[in-house]
Amino acid sequence: MKKDLVAHAATRSASVIELAQELIRRPSRGGIDDYAPVLTVLEDWLTRGGLPHRRLRDESGQLVGLLVEIAGGRPGPWWTLDACVDTASFGDEEAWTFSPTAGDIVEGFLRGRGAADSKLAASTFCHIAADLLPHATTLRGGLAVLLDVDEHTGGFGGARAYLTDPEAAIPAGVMIGYPGLDDVVVGGRGLWRATLTVSAYSGHSGSSRSVLSAVSRAARLVQLLDTADLPSPPAADSAFMLPPKLSVTAIHGGEGFSVAADRCDLNVDVRTTPAFDAHDAETLVRKAAAELDAELPGPAPTRITPVASWPPFQLQPHEQPAAALMNAAATMGLTVRAKTAGPSNIGNLLAGQAGGIPSTAGFGVPYEGLHGIDERASLAELPQVYAVYHRAVLDLLDAR
């Protein structure tokens, strides 16, 4: 089977790359570009291939993704392949050595924003669905391919629309097509995010009366947060490997020169672990705010407004769908390790669903410049990656 799958993947590579190129040439930066052009490319390709698919819309009616559904001929669980087709922003375009929408191939690399994350994966998953369609009656359960947008905004509108769609089968597990050949990502830190509002008495900066502005109070709060005592992973949490992390990611307040600001807002991002959860994160931040208010009193207590909270997640290598993906990689001669990632991802959203939906959040081709300048994805390993996912899906669906 290994030889047949790799040979088949090699024959599919040109078509996979061609579709990925078309996707890269349609800019789809999260929260910036219109998603319709990139989704139209996919919709046209699916229609030509006779693949059953439908549009996903959010609560406001906005188009946030496409869902391909291949129903098997025998009862069983559904499994999902997921790849986002929105991207990070371009950043400083003058720093790029090629166009962010180049979509060309140079020295064996597919170049452009989204080549790595995750338009090549989206094309791969579409082709795997096309491979399965003629053999659908032999499958147990079914395969869904989620092609979502609104991922890089952090809103995950496409994934949310899929999970709340009453017509969609709840998947037994999801494999997310983030890149990277050495690891199967089986977990990720969770997060707790909040906005902190620091107040002060306003006044003229040149007044003879001493005025402590909200900016100065906020600066002291940043110090307290940056030096907060975060635990190292205890023995009970050692399998997770990663410690919690706190970052102050934004600060806004004041204007001009002559007015002492009466308000300053901070964004705080805490990455959580099984041993340091959202409750612990909120307790830590509230303690720092209370210390500020006691040390440098203001006209009102520091206000804390929670914004988002996702749980950490982690699969064991023997749990599905991680086991199928790792076994398939081993069958194809690849040595991969199970890895827990530092950044949060759709896997956290899935873990937060009722009962939790297990997921892997990364295995794909090698890459460079992800979310940075000169993003590009290596194509030499594409046949192996294609064959691994194809084999994993066949195993999960008990294909005959």
Side-chain angles (χ1 to χ4, degrees), residues 149-232:
V149 295
D150 193 36
E151 195 260 14
H152 285 82
T153 63
F156 295 127
R160 292 182 188 276
Y162 168 51
L163 294 171
T164 57
D165 188 333
E167 297 181 16
I170 297 176
V174 177
M175 292 181 283
I176 305 167
Y178 297 133
L181 193 67
D182 297 327
D183 309 300
V184 171
V185 177
V186 296
R189 284 189 292 206
L191 62 80
W192 181 83
R193 290 174 176 164
T195 298
L196 279 58
T197 301
V198 176
S199 61
Y201 296 101
S202 61
H204 197 292
S205 61
S207 171
S208 59
R209 181 173 63 90
S210 177
V211 177
L212 185 67
S213 75
V215 172
S216 295
R217 294 190 73 230
R220 175 56 180 152
L221 180 55
V222 172
Q223 289 180 320
L224 292 169
L225 291 168
D226 283 345
T227 57
D229 187 18
L230 286 166
S232 298

Side-chain angles (χ1 to χ4, degrees), residues 17 27 116 123 183 217 286 384:
I17 294 167
S123 179
D183 309 300
R217 294 190 73 230
R286 290 192 181 279
Q384 284 179 297

Side-chain angles (χ1 to χ4, degrees), residues 352-373:
Q353 299 301 299
I357 298 175
S359 66
T360 60
F363 172 76
V365 299
Y367 63 91
E368 296 175 4
L370 188 146
H371 287 200
I373 63 170

Side-chain angles (χ1 to χ4, degrees), residues 9-81:
T11 64
R12 294 293 263 165
S13 291
S15 180
V16 171
I17 294 167
E18 182 181 359
L19 176 58
Q21 289 178 298
E22 291 302 309
L23 298 176
I24 292 168
R25 290 167 182 156
R26 271 69 172 183
S28 53
R29 294 164 292 178
I32 298 174
D33 296 312
D34 180 6
Y35 300 134
V38 72
L39 290 173
T40 297
V41 170
L42 286 167
E43 199 165 30
D44 290 346
W45 189 91
L46 295 168
T47 299
R48 290 195 301 271
L51 285 156
H53 65 279
R54 53 194 172 88
R55 296 181 175 185
L56 295 173
R57 298 186 181 275
D58 63 15
E59 294 179 351
S60 66
Q62 294 296 310
L63 181 62
V64 289
L66 300 172
L67 183 64
V68 183
E69 294 169 306
I70 308 294
R74 296 181 289 149
W78 279 67
W79 303 89
T80 299
L81 297 172

Side-chain angles (χ1 to χ4, degrees), residues 31-386:
I32 298 174
D33 296 312
D34 180 6
Y35 300 134
V38 72
L39 290 173
T40 297
V41 170
L42 286 167
E43 199 165 30
D44 290 346
W45 189 91
L46 295 168
T47 299
R48 290 195 301 271
L51 285 156
H53 65 279
R54 53 194 172 88
R55 296 181 175 185
L56 295 173
R57 298 186 181 275
D58 63 15
E59 294 179 351
S60 66
Q62 294 296 310
L63 181 62
V64 289
L66 300 172
L67 183 64
V68 183
E69 294 169 306
I70 308 294
R74 296 181 289 149
W78 279 67
W79 303 89
T80 299
L81 297 172
D82 170 39
C84 63
V85 290
D86 68 321
T87 71
S89 64
F90 295 156
D92 182 3
E93 294 186 51
E94 294 185 359
W96 286 64
T97 61
F98 51 84
S99 168
T101 58
D104 57 1
I105 300 171
V106 175
E107 298 179 347
F109 283 84
L110 176 61
R111 308 193 308 174
R113 177 63 83 224
D117 182 14
S118 294
K119 292 180 176 181
L120 187 60
S123 179
T124 296
F125 292 167
C126 285
H127 282 76
I128 289 175
D131 289 340
L132 294 182
L133 183 61
H135 313 287
T137 57
T138 73
L139 308 179
R140 184 185 298 279
L143 176 72
V145 177
L146 173 62
L147 306 163
D148 58 319
V149 295
D150 193 36
E151 195 260 14
H152 285 82
T153 63
F156 295 127
R160 292 182 188 276
Y162 168 51
L163 294 171
T164 57
D165 188 333
E167 297 181 16
I170 297 176
V174 177
M175 292 181 283
I176 305 167
Y178 297 133
L181 193 67
D182 297 327
D183 309 300
V184 171
V185 177
V186 296
R189 284 189 292 206
L191 62 80
W192 181 83
R193 290 174 176 164
T195 298
L196 279 58
T197 301
V198 176
S199 61
Y201 296 101
S202 61
H204 197 292
S205 61
S207 171
S208 59
R209 181 173 63 90
S210 177
V211 177
L212 185 67
S213 75
V215 172
S216 295
R217 294 190 73 230
R220 175 56 180 152
L221 180 55
V222 172
Q223 289 180 320
L224 292 169
L225 291 168
D226 283 345
T227 57
D229 187 18
L230 286 166
S232 298
D237 204 27
S238 59
F240 197 78
M241 298 299 292
L242 295 170
K245 182 181 180 181
L246 185 152
S247 303
V248 179
T249 56
I251 183 167
H252 306 281
E255 58 182 327
F257 290 92
S258 61
V259 178
D262 61 1
R263 172 174 174 160
C264 194
D265 296 309
L266 286 70
N267 288 352
V268 177
D269 178 282
V270 185
R271 298 304 166 114
T272 60
T273 70
F276 187 85
D277 61 14
H279 173 75
D280 298 318
E282 184 168 357
T283 299
L284 187 77
V285 171
R286 290 192 181 279
K287 179 182 177 183
E291 289 181 19
L292 171 73
D293 293 339
E295 179 183 332
L296 300 173
T302 298
R303 186 168 73 249
I304 299 173
T305 306
V307 173
S309 179
W310 292 345
F313 76 100
Q314 187 179 48
L315 292 182
Q316 297 304 311
H318 65 273
E319 296 178 297
Q320 297 292 17
L325 196 54
M326 295 190 72
N327 290 341
T331 300
M332 298 302 154
L334 296 173
T335 301
V336 297
R337 60 186 177 184
K339 176 185 176 181
T340 298
S344 304
N345 52 65
I346 289 180
N348 299 94
L349 175 66
L350 295 168
Q353 299 301 299
I357 298 175
S359 66
T360 60
F363 172 76
V365 299
Y367 63 91
E368 296 175 4
L370 188 146
H371 287 200
I373 63 170
D374 288 355
E375 180 177 343
R376 61 182 192 162
S378 175
L379 297 176
E381 300 80 3
L382 178 60
Q384 284 179 297
V385 170
Y386 189 105

